[in-house]
Amino acid sequence: MTNLVDKFGRKVNYLRISVTDRCDFRCVYCMAEEMTFLPRTQILSLEEIHRIANAFVDLGVKKIRLTGGEPLIRRNVITLIEKLGQMPMLDQLVMTTNGSQLEKSAPLLKQAGVKRINISLDSLDPERFRNLTRTGDLSQVLNGIDAALGQGFDSVKINAVILKGRNDDEILPLIDFARAKGTDITFIEEMPLGNISEHQRDECFMSSEAVREVISSRYALNPITHSSGGPARYYRFEDSASKVGFISPHSHNFCGDCNRVRLTAEGRLLLCLGNEHSVDLRAVVRSTDDDAVLRQAIVDAMGLKPEQHYFDLQDEPQIVRFMNMTGG
Ligand code: SAM
Ligand code: SF4
């Protein structure tokens, strides 16, 4: 039972941790081409992240997702993962990764206690994959996906962001890829986080509904009540075990049953993806060794959780932080 309840009665039992703001990719919807990353002194140490995670689990958090930036490029991150994997009160340790390092990391993650992995994949065409990620090598990611599948995680899921005119012709190929691999796949609507240069977010926006229509042109989809404890709504095929999820921050506001908060790489506890309400937990851990003070700061922070987010694609982004800061 969680001790973390906000003023709208929502129970918070899920923490997403951005373990680094850095990344080996520069996906066009996530980052600018030239990025300035945080200096190391401003980033939480692995020990500080562990301490904060511990406090959350003491307060009743049952699920932690490690994300970033790219979590697997943080040096020695596996030592943190091993410690988190040993927390008896934590039910689910999961990760979102771009897959570039998975070929070598997958066995270590499995041993360390990671239960489920989400891998981002927006294109199956090497050249387009390179264009969308600006630096990524598709074959590395495909090998990473196979390595993860070989480890027998509870689930390996593909995440795809579809942009009209850039990769909307890959919806069906990505679906067929997921079906062939026996994985689930989730389509995420692009969110206006940070100022990007390569495309107009409103012109490229593709709603979950539009993606679902494309899939339905080939495969019948039936809605199901399955929940992975996150914001996705799921559908299943009639002839495959793979499920299709949709995360629709624009077209289907999921704030009413939000159970999540986010810890940024610099130790800011963000109460909502689409708002700036936050508490500086780095200041707390750097000012006291008393975990009771840390737990109280977290409990108090729940009072700041806003009721919902508002995204508007046409205006200047209201949220100037990029997704790699937020920990998507
Ligand atoms: N680097 C890892 C990865 O790409 O999976 C983890 C961090 S990334 C920020 C987490 C997820 O956020 C990815 O699936 C990515 O596609 C998604 N994402 C990034 N920027 C986004 C945006 N502006 N709108 C919607 N999804 C975004
Ligand atoms: Fe890196 Fe993930 Fe952002 Fe792509 S989506 S730039 S892989 S953090």
Side-chain angles (χ1 to χ4, degrees), residues 145 149 155-158 174-175 177-185 237 240-244:
I145 292 172
L149 287 170
S155 122
V156 172
K157 182 162 73 77
I158 305 298
L174 285 165
I175 286 283
F177 176 84
R179 286 166 53 99
K181 296 282 181 194
T183 68
D184 295 345
I185 178 163
F237 300 105
S240 160
S242 295
K243 293 188 283 302
V244 186

Side-chain angles (χ1 to χ4, degrees), residues 159-197:
N159 276 350
V161 175
I162 301 296
L163 305 177
K164 204 184 284 170
R166 290 203 76 154
N167 64 343
D168 53 331
D169 55 342
E170 297 215 38
I171 297 170
L172 290 172
L174 285 165
I175 286 283
D176 288 336
F177 176 84
R179 286 166 53 99
K181 296 282 181 194
T183 68
D184 295 345
I185 178 163
T186 293
F187 293 95
I188 308 172
E189 285 178 353
E190 186 185 10
M191 287 171 264
L193 300 180
N195 260 314
I196 54 161
S197 55

